[in-house]
Amino acid sequence: MNKSLAISLHISSKMWTSFQQSMLKSRMFNEEVIGFLFCQRHQVSKRQIRYIPKTWVVPASDCYEHQSASGLVLKQHFHSYLLENHLQPGLDVVHIHTHAGRGLPDFSYIDDRYESEYARFIASSFPKKPRLISGVFNENLQSCQFRIWDRKGRDFEDVKFCNSLFEISENKQAINNVNLNYDFMFARQKIFGETNQKALNQLKVGLIGCGGIGSIFAELLGRLGVKNWVLIDPDILETVNLNRMPAATQEMVDQRWHKVHYIKHLIKKIYREGSCVKTIPISVESELAKQEIATCDLIVVATDNHLSRKTAQELALQYMRPLVCLGTHIDVKPDNTPRMYSRITVPPLGGGWCLMCGNIINLQRAALESAPLEINQMAANVGYLEGVNDPAVFWLNSICASTGVGVIHGMVSGFLNVDSGIDWIYEFPGNHWRQTNTEYLQNDDCYFCGMKGLEEVVHNSDLESSDLEDSDFILW
């Protein structure tokens, strides 16, 4: 197998908590237990592969033929049920089981033998030849090891397990290869910890929308320590943008700079070396843009239309990436008093609620924005689409962008818990911050992010006879 590959299994904190609790409930004392994840394979790059769980199953105690601290055997009809109902084409199988004890567990000779046989079994029994990833935890599911088998069951290689928002490299050479000048640059941020700064330096951010909010956001997050960017925006700088884009000039407008190149210019002014900025001056709906966003650790959308935010949310759900949505709104009351709002939204990683079911964006508007020009013109004529861009001012954009950077700093550092998501709205001139109670946003039936059917604890009484039940393979 290819030893140069970095392979990881990334499960959201929310999903892992539910899975872990279900595993612990399926035993009386310290008996071994097993659970299953069914994962989509994502080739991030030539050297990096991520496995993303799409569903999970934990057998209840009555699904075991034998269960003790020294081993376990599952009933054959549970195994048949599992493969028929959950192993969808294109998914790979993850087995997670426990060993007694509280130290770092290791795979046993029995694990080696049966996992090797099972890797061959599933690869030869299903058209898409799924792979087997196996994990062993200690009895309290705190310490673990993971590995992935080849399809012949002869060899395996290590898999990194990640149940946090971000995957941070453990390559000491890469971590220590930091310019001393930049170390000193962040000297006044050391209160947040060296690990936090290294995480920011490694973070790869996909920014969709490089206008009034996105430009301020990139400047602020860049100065916090983020050096790796994918910038997506099809627009070119115009004179009307100069009131709210820092360091943008009329000369840039005259030279027809793309906004993505303008923001790259800002970041390169911060870092003369050591930064990596990829510019994509096309719509996020393009396949190239989607492919690049999928390689990022964090997706940030700061656009003024609904379609691009919908696309960003779909990508975040598909590739299990954290999403931060930034936006502002200005209107005027009948007495000519202005009302101004900034909104920062972070949907929970892995589902629960999203920008669509949380009504942060309008699906009707998104559909109209994706329609041909003739349809858009008809919609504008009957009042469904406005013909003038929304009002915007630098200071309001700055509140939104700086709060968004603060949220991301908290996410990376761990001092802000976003497992249930956040939706914050600032209102001016009332000077109020409002925090939406995200419990009211939960929607298991959402077409885009609904959790119904993605997780399951199976009891023996739930099982039915199956065509696979005559298989000779018995799951340990």
Coordinates of all heavy atoms in Angstrom, one line a residue, residues 111-194:
D111 N -8.1 -10.0 16.1 CA -8.5 -8.9 15.3 C -7.9 -9.0 13.9 O -8.5 -8.8 12.8 CB -8.1 -7.5 15.9 CG -8.9 -7.2 17.2 OD1 -10.0 -7.8 17.3 OD2 -8.3 -6.5 18.0
D112 N -6.6 -9.2 13.9 CA -5.8 -9.3 12.6 C -6.5 -10.4 11.7 O -6.7 -10.2 10.5 CB -4.4 -9.7 12.9 CG -3.6 -8.6 13.6 OD1 -4.1 -7.5 13.6 OD2 -2.5 -8.9 14.2
R113 N -6.7 -11.5 12.3 CA -7.3 -12.7 11.5 C -8.6 -12.4 10.9 O -8.8 -12.5 9.7 CB -7.3 -13.9 12.4 CG -7.9 -15.1 11.7 CD -8.1 -16.3 12.7 NE -9.0 -17.3 12.2 CZ -9.5 -18.3 12.9 NH1 -9.2 -18.3 14.2 NH2 -10.3 -19.2 12.4
Y114 N -9.6 -11.9 11.8 CA -10.9 -11.7 11.3 C -11.1 -10.5 10.4 O -11.8 -10.5 9.4 CB -11.9 -11.7 12.4 CG -12.2 -13.1 13.0 CD1 -11.7 -13.5 14.2 CD2 -13.1 -13.9 12.3 CE1 -11.9 -14.8 14.7 CE2 -13.4 -15.2 12.8 CZ -12.8 -15.6 13.9 OH -13.1 -16.9 14.4
E115 N -10.3 -9.4 10.7 CA -10.4 -8.3 9.9 C -9.8 -8.6 8.5 O -10.3 -8.1 7.5 CB -9.6 -7.1 10.5 CG -10.3 -6.5 11.7 CD -9.6 -5.4 12.4 OE1 -8.6 -4.9 11.8 OE2 -9.9 -5.0 13.5
S116 N -8.7 -9.3 8.4 CA -8.2 -9.7 7.1 C -9.2 -10.5 6.3 O -9.4 -10.2 5.1 CB -6.9 -10.6 7.3 OG -6.5 -11.1 6.1
E117 N -9.9 -11.4 6.9 CA -10.9 -12.2 6.2 C -12.1 -11.3 5.8 O -12.6 -11.5 4.7 CB -11.4 -13.3 7.1 CG -10.4 -14.4 7.4 CD -11.0 -15.5 8.4 OE1 -12.2 -15.5 8.6 OE2 -10.2 -16.3 8.8
Y118 N -12.5 -10.4 6.7 CA -13.6 -9.5 6.4 C -13.3 -8.6 5.3 O -14.2 -8.2 4.4 CB -14.1 -8.8 7.6 CG -15.5 -8.2 7.5 CD1 -16.6 -9.1 7.4 CD2 -15.7 -6.9 7.4 CE1 -17.9 -8.6 7.2 CE2 -17.0 -6.3 7.3 CZ -18.0 -7.2 7.2 OH -19.3 -6.7 7.0
A119 N -12.1 -8.1 5.2 CA -11.7 -7.1 4.2 C -11.8 -7.8 2.8 O -12.3 -7.2 1.8 CB -10.3 -6.7 4.4
R120 N -11.4 -9.1 2.7 CA -11.5 -9.9 1.5 C -13.0 -10.1 1.2 O -13.4 -10.1 0.0 CB -10.8 -11.2 1.6 CG -9.3 -11.1 1.6 CD -8.6 -12.4 1.3 NE -9.0 -13.5 2.2 CZ -8.4 -13.7 3.4 NH1 -7.4 -13.0 3.8 NH2 -8.9 -14.7 4.2
F121 N -13.8 -10.5 2.2 CA -15.2 -10.8 2.0 C -16.0 -9.7 1.4 O -16.7 -9.8 0.4 CB -15.8 -11.2 3.4 CG -17.3 -11.3 3.4 CD1 -17.9 -12.4 2.8 CD2 -18.1 -10.3 3.9 CE1 -19.3 -12.5 2.7 CE2 -19.4 -10.4 3.9 CZ -20.1 -11.5 3.3
I122 N -15.9 -8.4 2.0 CA -16.7 -7.3 1.4 C -16.2 -6.9 0.1 O -17.0 -6.5 -0.8 CB -16.8 -6.1 2.4 CG1 -15.4 -5.6 2.8 CG2 -17.5 -6.5 3.7 CD1 -15.5 -4.3 3.6
A123 N -14.9 -7.0 -0.1 CA -14.3 -6.5 -1.4 C -14.8 -7.5 -2.6 O -15.0 -7.1 -3.7 CB -12.8 -6.5 -1.4
S124 N -15.0 -8.8 -2.2 CA -15.3 -9.7 -3.2 C -16.8 -9.9 -3.4 O -17.3 -10.5 -4.3 CB -14.7 -11.1 -2.9 OG -15.1 -11.6 -1.7
S125 N -17.6 -9.4 -2.4 CA -19.1 -9.7 -2.4 C -19.9 -8.5 -2.9 O -21.1 -8.7 -3.1 CB -19.5 -10.0 -1.0 OG -18.8 -11.1 -0.5
F126 N -19.3 -7.3 -3.2 CA -20.1 -6.2 -3.6 C -19.4 -5.6 -4.8 O -18.2 -5.5 -4.9 CB -20.2 -5.2 -2.5 CG -21.0 -5.7 -1.3 CD1 -20.3 -6.4 -0.3 CD2 -22.3 -5.5 -1.2 CE1 -21.1 -6.8 0.8 CE2 -23.1 -6.0 -0.2 CZ -22.4 -6.7 0.9
P127 N -20.2 -5.1 -5.8 CA -19.6 -4.6 -7.0 C -18.6 -3.5 -6.9 O -17.6 -3.4 -7.6 CB -20.9 -4.1 -7.8 CG -22.0 -4.9 -7.2 CD -21.7 -5.1 -5.8
K128 N -18.9 -2.5 -5.9 CA -18.0 -1.4 -5.8 C -16.7 -1.7 -5.0 O -15.9 -0.8 -4.7 CB -18.7 -0.2 -5.1 CG -19.9 0.3 -6.0 CD -19.3 1.1 -7.2 CE -20.4 1.8 -8.0 NZ -19.9 2.5 -9.1
K129 N -16.6 -3.0 -4.5 CA -15.4 -3.4 -3.7 C -15.1 -2.5 -2.6 O -14.0 -1.9 -2.5 CB -14.2 -3.6 -4.7 CG -14.4 -4.5 -5.8 CD -13.2 -4.7 -6.6 CE -13.4 -5.7 -7.8 NZ -13.8 -7.0 -7.4
P130 N -16.0 -2.4 -1.6 CA -15.7 -1.5 -0.5 C -14.5 -1.9 0.3 O -14.1 -3.0 0.4 CB -17.0 -1.6 0.4 CG -17.6 -2.9 0.0 CD -17.2 -3.1 -1.4
R131 N -13.9 -0.9 1.0 CA -12.7 -1.1 1.8 C -13.1 -1.2 3.3 O -14.2 -0.7 3.7 CB -11.7 0.1 1.7 CG -11.2 0.3 0.3 CD -10.0 -0.7 -0.1 NE -8.9 -0.5 0.8 CZ -7.9 0.4 0.5 NH1 -8.0 1.2 -0.5 NH2 -6.9 0.6 1.3
L132 N -12.3 -1.8 4.1 CA -12.5 -2.0 5.5 C -11.5 -1.1 6.3 O -10.3 -1.2 6.1 CB -12.4 -3.4 6.0 CG -12.4 -3.6 7.5 CD1 -13.8 -3.3 8.0 CD2 -12.0 -5.1 7.9
I133 N -12.1 -0.2 7.1 CA -11.3 0.5 8.1 C -11.7 0.0 9.4 O -12.9 -0.2 9.7 CB -11.6 2.1 8.0 CG1 -11.2 2.6 6.6 CG2 -10.9 2.8 9.1 CD1 -11.7 4.0 6.4
S134 N -10.7 -0.3 10.3 CA -11.1 -0.8 11.6 C -10.4 0.1 12.7 O -9.3 0.6 12.5 CB -10.5 -2.3 11.8 OG -9.1 -2.3 11.6
G135 N -11.1 0.2 13.8 CA -10.6 1.0 14.9 C -10.8 0.2 16.2 O -11.8 -0.5 16.4
V136 N -9.9 0.3 17.1 CA -10.0 -0.3 18.4 C -9.8 0.8 19.5 O -8.9 1.6 19.4 CB -8.9 -1.4 18.6 CG1 -7.5 -0.9 18.4 CG2 -9.1 -2.1 19.9
F137 N -10.7 0.8 20.4 CA -10.7 1.8 21.5 C -10.5 1.0 22.8 O -10.8 -0.2 22.9 CB -12.0 2.6 21.6 CG -12.1 3.7 20.6 CD1 -12.4 3.6 19.3 CD2 -11.9 5.0 21.1 CE1 -12.5 4.6 18.4 CE2 -11.9 6.1 20.2 CZ -12.2 5.9 18.9
N138 N -10.1 1.8 23.8 CA -10.1 1.2 25.2 C -11.6 1.2 25.7 O -12.5 1.7 25.0 CB -9.2 2.0 26.1 CG -9.6 3.5 26.3 OD1 -10.6 3.9 25.7 ND2 -8.7 4.2 27.0
E139 N -11.8 0.7 26.9 CA -13.2 0.4 27.3 C -14.0 1.7 27.5 O -15.2 1.6 27.4 CB -13.2 -0.4 28.6 CG -12.6 0.3 29.8 CD -12.5 -0.6 31.0 OE1 -12.2 -1.8 30.9 OE2 -12.9 -0.2 32.1
N140 N -13.4 2.8 27.8 CA -14.2 4.1 27.9 C -14.2 4.9 26.7 O -14.6 6.1 26.7 CB -13.7 4.9 29.1 CG -12.2 5.2 29.0 OD1 -11.5 4.8 28.1 ND2 -11.7 6.0 30.0
L141 N -13.7 4.3 25.5 CA -13.7 5.0 24.2 C -13.0 6.4 24.2 O -13.5 7.3 23.7 CB -15.1 5.1 23.7 CG -15.7 3.9 23.0 CD1 -16.5 3.1 24.1 CD2 -16.6 4.2 21.9
Q142 N -11.8 6.4 24.8 CA -11.0 7.6 24.9 C -9.8 7.5 24.1 O -9.4 8.5 23.4 CB -10.7 8.0 26.3 CG -11.9 8.3 27.2 CD -12.7 9.5 26.7 OE1 -12.1 10.5 26.3 NE2 -14.0 9.3 26.7
S143 N -9.1 6.4 24.1 CA -7.8 6.2 23.3 C -8.1 5.2 22.2 O -8.9 4.2 22.4 CB -6.7 5.7 24.2 OG -6.5 6.6 25.3
C144 N -7.4 5.3 21.1 CA -7.7 4.5 19.9 C -6.6 4.3 19.0 O -5.6 5.1 19.0 CB -8.9 5.0 19.2 SG -8.6 6.6 18.4
Q145 N -6.7 3.4 18.1 CA -5.9 3.2 16.9 C -6.8 2.8 15.7 O -7.8 2.1 15.9 CB -4.8 2.1 17.1 CG -3.7 2.4 18.1 CD -2.6 1.4 18.1 OE1 -2.0 1.3 17.0 NE2 -2.4 0.7 19.2
F146 N -6.4 3.3 14.5 CA -7.2 3.0 13.3 C -6.3 2.5 12.2 O -5.1 2.9 12.2 CB -8.0 4.2 12.9 CG -9.3 4.4 13.6 CD1 -9.4 5.0 14.8 CD2 -10.5 3.9 13.0 CE1 -10.6 5.2 15.5 CE2 -11.7 4.1 13.7 CZ -11.8 4.8 14.9
R147 N -6.8 1.7 11.4 CA -6.1 1.2 10.2 C -7.0 0.9 9.1 O -8.2 0.6 9.3 CB -5.2 0.0 10.5 CG -6.1 -1.2 11.0 CD -5.2 -2.4 11.5 NE -5.9 -3.5 12.0 CZ -5.4 -4.6 12.5 NH1 -4.0 -4.7 12.7 NH2 -6.1 -5.6 12.9
I148 N -6.5 0.9 7.8 CA -7.3 0.5 6.7 C -6.7 -0.6 5.9 O -5.4 -0.6 5.7 CB -7.5 1.8 5.7 CG1 -8.4 1.4 4.5 CG2 -6.2 2.3 5.2 CD1 -8.8 2.5 3.6
W149 N -7.5 -1.6 5.6 CA -7.0 -2.8 4.9 C -7.0 -2.7 3.4 O -7.9 -2.0 2.9 CB -7.8 -4.0 5.4 CG -7.6 -4.5 6.8 CD1 -8.1 -3.9 7.9 CD2 -6.7 -5.5 7.2 NE1 -7.7 -4.6 9.0 CE2 -6.8 -5.5 8.6 CE3 -5.8 -6.4 6.6 CZ2 -6.0 -6.4 9.4 CZ3 -5.1 -7.3 7.3 CH2 -5.2 -7.3 8.7
D150 N -6.1 -3.4 2.7 CA -6.3 -3.5 1.3 C -7.3 -4.5 1.0 O -7.8 -5.2 1.9 CB -4.9 -3.9 0.6 CG -4.4 -5.2 1.0 OD1 -5.2 -6.1 1.4 OD2 -3.2 -5.4 0.8
R151 N -7.8 -4.6 -0.3 CA -8.9 -5.4 -0.6 C -8.6 -6.9 -0.6 O -9.5 -7.8 -0.5 CB -9.5 -5.0 -2.0 CG -10.1 -3.6 -2.0 CD -10.7 -3.3 -3.3 NE -11.4 -2.1 -3.3 CZ -10.9 -0.9 -3.5 NH1 -9.6 -0.8 -3.8 NH2 -11.7 0.2 -3.5
K152 N -7.3 -7.3 -0.5 CA -7.0 -8.7 -0.4 C -6.7 -9.1 1.0 O -6.5 -10.3 1.3 CB -5.7 -8.9 -1.2 CG -5.9 -8.7 -2.7 CD -4.6 -9.0 -3.5 CE -4.8 -8.8 -5.0 NZ -3.6 -9.1 -5.8
G153 N -6.9 -8.2 1.9 CA -6.7 -8.5 3.4 C -5.3 -8.9 3.7 O -5.1 -9.6 4.8
R154 N -4.3 -8.4 3.0 CA -2.9 -8.8 3.3 C -2.1 -7.7 4.0 O -1.2 -8.0 4.6 CB -2.2 -9.1 1.9 CG -2.8 -10.3 1.2 CD -2.1 -10.5 -0.1 NE -2.6 -11.7 -0.8 CZ -2.3 -12.0 -2.1 NH1 -1.5 -11.2 -2.8 NH2 -2.9 -13.0 -2.7
D155 N -2.5 -6.5 3.8 CA -1.7 -5.4 4.3 C -2.7 -4.3 4.8 O -3.8 -4.2 4.4 CB -0.8 -4.9 3.3 CG 0.3 -4.0 3.8 OD1 0.5 -4.0 5.1 OD2 1.1 -3.3 3.0
F156 N -2.1 -3.4 5.6 CA -2.9 -2.3 6.1 C -2.0 -1.1 6.4 O -0.8 -1.3 6.5 CB -3.7 -2.6 7.4 CG -2.9 -3.2 8.5 CD1 -2.2 -2.3 9.4 CD2 -2.7 -4.5 8.7 CE1 -1.4 -2.8 10.4 CE2 -1.9 -5.0 9.8 CZ -1.3 -4.1 10.6
E157 N -2.6 0.1 6.5 CA -1.8 1.3 7.0 C -2.6 2.1 7.9 O -3.8 2.0 8.0 CB -1.4 2.1 5.7 CG -2.5 2.5 4.8 CD -1.9 3.2 3.6 OE1 -1.0 4.1 3.7 OE2 -2.3 2.8 2.5
D158 N -1.9 2.9 8.6 CA -2.6 3.7 9.7 C -3.5 4.7 9.2 O -3.4 5.3 8.1 CB -1.5 4.4 10.6 CG -0.6 3.5 11.3 OD1 -1.1 2.3 11.6 OD2 0.5 3.8 11.7
V159 N -4.5 5.0 10.0 CA -5.6 6.0 9.7 C -5.6 7.0 10.9 O -5.7 6.5 12.0 CB -6.9 5.4 9.4 CG1 -8.0 6.5 9.3 CG2 -6.9 4.5 8.2
K160 N -5.6 8.3 10.6 CA -5.8 9.2 11.7 C -7.2 9.4 12.0 O -8.0 9.7 11.1 CB -5.1 10.6 11.3 CG -5.2 11.7 12.4 CD -4.7 13.0 11.9 CE -4.9 14.1 12.9 NZ -4.4 15.4 12.4
F161 N -7.6 9.4 13.3 CA -9.0 9.6 13.8 C -9.1 11.0 14.2 O -8.3 11.5 15.0 CB -9.3 8.6 14.9 CG -10.7 8.9 15.5 CD1 -11.8 8.6 14.8 CD2 -10.8 9.4 16.8 CE1 -13.1 8.8 15.4 CE2 -12.0 9.6 17.4 CZ -13.2 9.3 16.6
C162 N -10.1 11.7 13.7 CA -10.3 13.1 14.1 C -11.8 13.4 14.4 O -12.7 13.1 13.5 CB -9.9 14.0 12.9 SG -10.2 15.8 13.2
N163 N -12.1 13.8 15.6 CA -13.5 14.2 15.9 C -13.6 15.6 16.4 O -14.5 15.9 17.2 CB -14.0 13.2 17.0 CG -13.3 13.3 18.3 OD1 -12.2 13.7 18.4 ND2 -14.0 13.0 19.4
S164 N -12.8 16.5 15.9 CA -12.8 17.9 16.2 C -13.1 18.7 14.9 O -13.3 18.1 13.8 CB -11.5 18.4 16.7 OG -10.4 18.1 15.8
L165 N -13.3 20.0 15.0 CA -13.6 20.8 13.8 C -12.6 20.8 12.7 O -12.9 20.7 11.6 CB -13.9 22.2 14.3 CG -15.2 22.5 15.0 CD1 -15.2 24.0 15.5 CD2 -16.4 22.4 14.0
F166 N -11.3 20.8 13.2 CA -10.2 20.9 12.2 C -9.2 19.8 12.4 O -8.9 19.3 13.5 CB -9.5 22.3 12.4 CG -10.5 23.4 12.3 CD1 -10.8 24.1 13.4 CD2 -11.0 23.8 11.1 CE1 -11.7 25.2 13.4 CE2 -11.9 24.9 11.0 CZ -12.2 25.6 12.2
E167 N -8.6 19.4 11.3 CA -7.5 18.4 11.3 C -6.2 19.2 11.3 O -5.9 19.8 10.3 CB -7.6 17.5 10.1 CG -8.8 16.6 10.1 CD -8.9 15.8 8.8 OE1 -8.0 15.0 8.5 OE2 -9.9 16.0 8.0
I168 N -5.4 19.0 12.4 CA -4.2 19.8 12.5 C -3.0 18.8 12.3 O -3.0 17.7 12.9 CB -4.0 20.5 13.8 CG1 -5.2 21.4 14.0 CG2 -2.7 21.2 13.9 CD1 -5.4 22.5 12.9
S169 N -2.0 19.1 11.4 CA -0.9 18.3 11.1 C -0.1 18.0 12.4 O 0.1 18.9 13.2 CB 0.0 18.9 10.1 OG 1.2 18.2 9.9
E170 N 0.4 16.7 12.5 CA 1.3 16.3 13.5 C 2.7 16.2 13.0 O 3.6 15.7 13.7 CB 0.8 15.0 14.1 CG -0.5 15.1 14.8 CD -1.0 13.8 15.4 OE1 -0.3 12.8 15.1 OE2 -2.1 13.8 16.0
N171 N 3.0 16.7 11.8 CA 4.3 16.7 11.2 C 5.2 17.7 11.9 O 5.0 18.9 11.7 CB 4.2 16.9 9.7 CG 5.5 16.8 9.0 OD1 6.6 17.0 9.6 ND2 5.5 16.3 7.8
K172 N 6.1 17.2 12.8 CA 6.9 18.2 13.6 C 7.8 19.0 12.7 O 8.0 20.2 13.0 CB 7.7 17.4 14.6 CG 6.9 16.7 15.7 CD 7.7 16.0 16.7 CE 6.9 15.4 17.8 NZ 7.7 14.7 18.8
Q173 N 8.3 18.5 11.6 CA 9.1 19.2 10.7 C 8.4 20.4 10.1 O 8.9 21.5 10.1 CB 9.7 18.4 9.6 CG 10.6 19.1 8.7 CD 11.2 18.2 7.6 OE1 10.9 17.0 7.6 NE2 12.0 18.7 6.7
A174 N 7.1 20.1 9.7 CA 6.3 21.2 9.1 C 5.9 22.3 10.2 O 5.9 23.5 9.9 CB 5.0 20.6 8.5
I175 N 5.7 21.8 11.4 CA 5.3 22.7 12.5 C 6.5 23.6 12.9 O 6.3 24.8 13.1 CB 4.7 21.9 13.7 CG1 3.4 21.3 13.3 CG2 4.6 22.8 14.9 CD1 2.8 20.4 14.4
N176 N 7.6 23.0 12.9 CA 8.8 23.8 13.4 C 9.4 24.7 12.3 O 10.3 25.5 12.6 CB 9.9 22.8 13.9 CG 9.4 22.1 15.2 OD1 8.7 22.7 16.0 ND2 9.9 20.9 15.4
N177 N 9.0 24.5 11.1 CA 9.6 25.2 10.0 C 8.9 26.6 9.8 O 8.1 26.8 8.9 CB 9.5 24.4 8.7 CG 10.2 25.1 7.5 OD1 11.1 25.9 7.7 ND2 9.8 24.8 6.3
V178 N 9.0 27.4 10.8 CA 8.4 28.7 10.9 C 9.4 29.8 10.9 O 10.4 29.7 11.7 CB 7.5 28.8 12.2 CG1 6.8 30.1 12.2 CG2 6.4 27.7 12.1
N179 N 9.3 30.8 10.1 CA 10.2 31.9 10.1 C 10.2 32.6 11.4 O 9.1 33.0 12.0 CB 9.8 32.9 9.0 CG 10.8 34.0 8.7 OD1 11.1 34.7 9.6 ND2 11.2 34.1 7.5
L180 N 11.4 32.9 12.0 CA 11.4 33.6 13.3 C 10.8 34.9 13.3 O 10.2 35.4 14.3 CB 12.9 33.7 13.7 CG 13.6 32.3 14.0 CD1 15.1 32.6 14.4 CD2 12.9 31.6 15.2
N181 N 10.8 35.6 12.1 CA 10.2 37.0 12.1 C 8.7 36.8 12.3 O 8.1 37.7 12.9 CB 10.5 37.6 10.7 CG 12.0 38.0 10.6 OD1 12.6 38.3 11.6 ND2 12.5 38.0 9.4
Y182 N 8.1 35.8 11.7 CA 6.7 35.6 11.9 C 6.3 35.1 13.3 O 5.3 35.4 13.8 CB 6.1 34.6 10.8 CG 6.3 35.2 9.4 CD1 6.8 34.5 8.4 CD2 5.9 36.5 9.2 CE1 6.9 35.1 7.1 CE2 6.0 37.1 7.9 CZ 6.5 36.4 6.9 OH 6.6 36.9 5.6
D183 N 7.2 34.4 13.9 CA 7.1 34.0 15.3 C 6.9 35.3 16.1 O 6.1 35.4 17.0 CB 8.2 33.2 15.8 CG 7.9 31.7 15.8 OD1 6.7 31.3 15.6 OD2 8.8 30.9 16.1
F184 N 7.8 36.2 15.9 CA 7.8 37.5 16.6 C 6.6 38.3 16.3 O 6.1 39.0 17.1 CB 9.1 38.3 16.3 CG 9.3 39.5 17.2 CD1 9.4 39.4 18.6 CD2 9.2 40.7 16.6 CE1 9.6 40.6 19.3 CE2 9.3 41.9 17.4 CZ 9.5 41.8 18.8
M185 N 6.1 38.2 15.0 CA 5.0 38.9 14.6 C 3.8 38.6 15.4 O 2.9 39.5 15.7 CB 4.7 38.6 13.1 CG 3.4 39.1 12.5 SD 3.2 38.6 10.8 CE 1.5 39.2 10.5
F186 N 3.7 37.4 15.9 CA 2.5 36.9 16.7 C 2.8 36.9 18.2 O 2.1 36.2 18.9 CB 2.0 35.6 16.2 CG 1.6 35.6 14.7 CD1 2.4 34.8 13.8 CD2 0.6 36.3 14.3 CE1 2.0 34.8 12.5 CE2 0.3 36.3 12.9 CZ 1.0 35.6 12.0
A187 N 3.9 37.6 18.6 CA 4.3 37.5 20.0 C 3.2 37.9 21.0 O 3.0 37.4 22.1 CB 5.5 38.3 20.2
R188 N 2.4 38.9 20.5 CA 1.3 39.4 21.4 C 0.1 38.6 21.4 O -0.9 38.9 22.0 CB 1.0 40.9 21.1 CG 2.3 41.8 21.3 CD 2.0 43.2 21.0 NE 1.2 43.8 22.1 CZ 0.9 45.1 22.2 NH1 1.5 46.0 21.3 NH2 0.1 45.6 23.1
Q189 N 0.1 37.5 20.6 CA -1.0 36.5 20.6 C -0.7 35.3 21.4 O -1.5 34.3 21.4 CB -1.4 36.2 19.2 CG -1.9 37.4 18.4 CD -2.2 37.0 16.9 OE1 -2.4 37.9 16.1 NE2 -2.2 35.8 16.6
K190 N 0.5 35.2 22.0 CA 0.9 34.0 22.7 C 0.0 33.6 23.9 O 0.0 32.5 24.3 CB 2.3 34.1 23.2 CG 3.4 34.1 22.1 CD 4.8 34.1 22.6 CE 5.8 33.9 21.5 NZ 7.2 34.0 22.0
I191 N -0.8 34.6 24.4 CA -1.7 34.3 25.5 C -2.7 33.2 25.1 O -3.2 32.4 25.9 CB -2.5 35.6 25.9 CG1 -3.2 35.3 27.2 CG2 -3.4 36.0 24.8 CD1 -3.9 36.5 27.8
F192 N -2.9 33.0 23.8 CA -3.9 32.0 23.3 C -3.2 30.6 23.2 O -3.9 29.6 22.9 CB -4.5 32.4 22.0 CG -5.3 33.7 22.1 CD1 -4.8 34.9 21.6 CD2 -6.6 33.7 22.8 CE1 -5.6 36.0 21.7 CE2 -7.3 34.9 22.9 CZ -6.8 36.0 22.3
G193 N -1.9 30.6 23.3 CA -1.2 29.3 23.2 C -0.5 29.0 21.9 O -0.9 29.5 20.9
E194 N 0.7 28.4 22.0 CA 1.4 28.1 20.8 C 0.7 27.1 19.8 O 0.8 27.3 18.6 CB 2.8 27.4 21.2 CG 3.7 27.2 20.1 CD 5.0 26.6 20.5 OE1 5.2 26.3 21.8 OE2 5.9 26.3 19.7

